[in-house]
Every structure is written in structure tokens, then in C-alpha cells.
Amino acid sequence: MRDAILQSSPSLQVMLSKADREKTVFIGWQLCQQAIWLDFATSVLNYPSDVKKQAALQNFLEQCGWTITIDRTCLICDRPTTVRLDEEQLLHGDGEPALEFSDGFKAYAFHGIGLPEKYGSVPISQWESQWVLEENNRQLKKIITGQIGAVRLVRELPTVAIESRGEYSLVQLENARSTDSKILKRSHAETGEISAEFVEWMTKSIDAALHQLHQRGLADEFPFPEANLSSEEE
């Protein structure tokens, strides 16, 4: 939730960038856990506590959502009016907010990872390949790349060939960085159909890429070229 809220709030990001990070506190689930243990200790184990302070803490946690203390400023928000989750109970919305608040503030997330509105407000099926070249955040770039897929990327973006042989080409995107993946592309001779899969950045040859894909169970879709099979048999 913290990640989603920060990604959707540039002003909060600016405020945090100017604050003393060691003195900035996000009060959320951890405080709830501590309050649960405190309630157990007092109500079951009869551990002594300040009744008024404990009641104030309980009321605070019941009524308020996230609370952020920054220097001498305390930001308190109500609980969200809408929460969208995936099958694993992680914040997620496909083209819609994962969190919505009563004042109109919205936060976006992809399976628990916060997204800027630029991405989160667009259905995943409509994400643009160009975003891969524009995005500098490594985590966000990995998400965009994975959802767009290798086939669309080699069709829609300029690539540099590292090795080509028969139906296969090992390529990387132009201006690619060492954190990006390379792509093994197969242009089927009979149908003209293109298959493509991501391989590790350090991959230097088509054979090495094929070995990776075979380990991932893709041997049928990416078989070794006939010439290689013949040489191995000899």
C-alpha cells in the first residue's frame, strides 16, 4: 500500500525527498500488529497498561488508515473506499485504481507493486511498447516488459542483432542496458509467424539462448536447428 500511494502522489514523493528519512515514519500494518499483541497481553494475560492511552490507540487504528509523520508534519488519511486485490490478496487493478479514497485520490498497483497513474490507468492489454524505452525505474520497466511480451517488442521496437542463423535471431533492444533481457526470435519459415522469448542479458549465442529456453520447457517451440542436431549426432 505504501508503494502504491507513493507512486500515485508526486507531491508526497517531493516532500519525502526533502525530509529526514530516518525521522519519517509510515504507520500502518506493523502498528496494528503491535496493538493486537498489546490487546492480548492486557485482556488475556492481565498485563498492566495505561487504559486511556490504549483506548486512544485502538480508536485511532479503527478510524484511520495510513499515517505518515514527516519532520513536524503528520499526514492522516481515512481508510480507502475501494480496495482491489488479486488472487493472492495483493493490491491490483487492471486499468483501474487498486485503492480509491473518498476525496478522489487514487492509487494504482500491479500485483502488489505500486504503479504511476500513467501505467495504472491504462488496461494492461493496451500498454505501449515505447514505455520500455522511456522508463528508468528498473522494477517498473521489468513489469512493462513482461506484460507487453517479447513478440510485441521485437515487432514494434528497433532491435540490434547479436547473432542470426536460419530461423533464429538473438537480439537486444536499441539502447538496451545491462539490466535488460535479450530476446531470442524465431521466424517460422513455413508460416512467417514470429515466436520470441526473453533470455538472460549475459547470453551471447543462439545455442546458449536455446539451452535456456529448453530448461524452461520450451523445447518444442524452440528446437535446435537441424544442422546442430546432425553435428551432435556425428
Side-chain angles (χ1 to χ4, degrees):
M1 187 177 289
R2 169 182 174 175
D3 190 29
I5 291 175
L6 284 178
Q7 286 287 1
S8 299
S9 179
S11 59
L12 183 55
Q13 291 184 37
V14 172
M15 187 181 297
L16 287 174
S17 67
K18 297 179 180 179
D20 185 344
R21 289 303 182 95
E22 294 184 358
K23 295 181 181 179
T24 301
V25 179
F26 283 74
I27 301 175
W29 174 239
Q30 289 182 337
L31 181 59
C32 292
Q33 289 179 310
Q34 295 170 0
I36 290 171
W37 280 111
L38 177 61
D39 181 63
F40 174 79
T42 55
S43 60
V44 178
L45 304 179
N46 296 319
Y47 190 83
S49 69
D50 187 314
V51 177
K52 290 185 178 180
K53 289 184 178 180
Q54 185 175 349
L57 174 62
Q58 182 175 348
N59 185 57
F60 170 74
L61 293 175
E62 288 178 350
Q63 301 300 324
C64 300
W66 274 81
T67 302
I68 308 170
T69 62
I70 307 174
D71 295 331
R72 297 186 178 183
T73 303
C74 183
L75 305 178
I76 302 177
C77 71
D78 198 355
R79 296 185 182 280
T81 55
T82 302
V83 178
R84 294 184 174 91
L85 307 172
D86 63 11
E87 297 80 5
E88 298 182 3
Q89 301 302 301
L90 298 174
L91 288 175
H92 179 74
D94 186 354
E96 56 186 354
L99 295 171
E100 294 185 73
F101 294 83
S102 58
D103 65 350
F105 179 79
K106 302 174 183 178
Y108 301 85
F110 175 84
H111 298 297
I113 300 175
L115 293 178
E117 184 177 2
K118 173 183 177 180
Y119 307 139
S121 61
V122 179
I124 295 174
S125 61
Q126 299 177 21
W127 282 7
E128 301 177 17
S129 298
Q130 186 66 26
W131 292 348
V132 175
L133 304 180
E134 300 170 351
E135 182 55 59
N136 294 318
N137 182 289
R138 182 177 178 180
Q139 186 179 48
L140 294 178
K141 188 172 185 177
K142 183 177 180 180
I143 292 173
I144 298 168
T145 300
Q147 293 306 302
I148 290 177
V151 173
R152 272 190 62 193
L153 291 183
V154 296
R155 283 176 174 171
E156 299 176 6
L157 296 180
T159 60
V160 176
I162 300 168
E163 182 185 2
S164 297
R165 186 168 74 246
E167 294 184 331
Y168 291 106
S169 295
L170 179 64
V171 304
Q172 67 185 44
L173 299 180
E174 281 190 358
N175 303 318
R177 303 176 183 179
S178 59
T179 55
D180 298 334
S181 299
K182 290 179 181 175
I183 300 174
L184 182 65
K185 180 178 72 172
R186 181 187 180 192
S187 300
H188 297 261
E190 296 181 358
T191 64
E193 180 184 354
I194 293 178
S195 299
E197 289 288 339
F198 296 108
V199 295
E200 297 176 0
W201 171 257
M202 297 301 294
T203 307
K204 297 181 179 180
S205 69
I206 289 174
D207 287 340
L210 287 171
H211 279 294
Q212 287 184 40
L213 298 185
H214 286 201
Q215 291 176 352
R216 285 152 53 181
L218 298 173
D220 291 340
E221 188 174 355
F222 293 87
F224 278 103
E226 292 298 327
N228 279 16
L229 291 176
S230 300
S231 62
E232 288 179 5
E233 291 174 358
E234 294 174 359

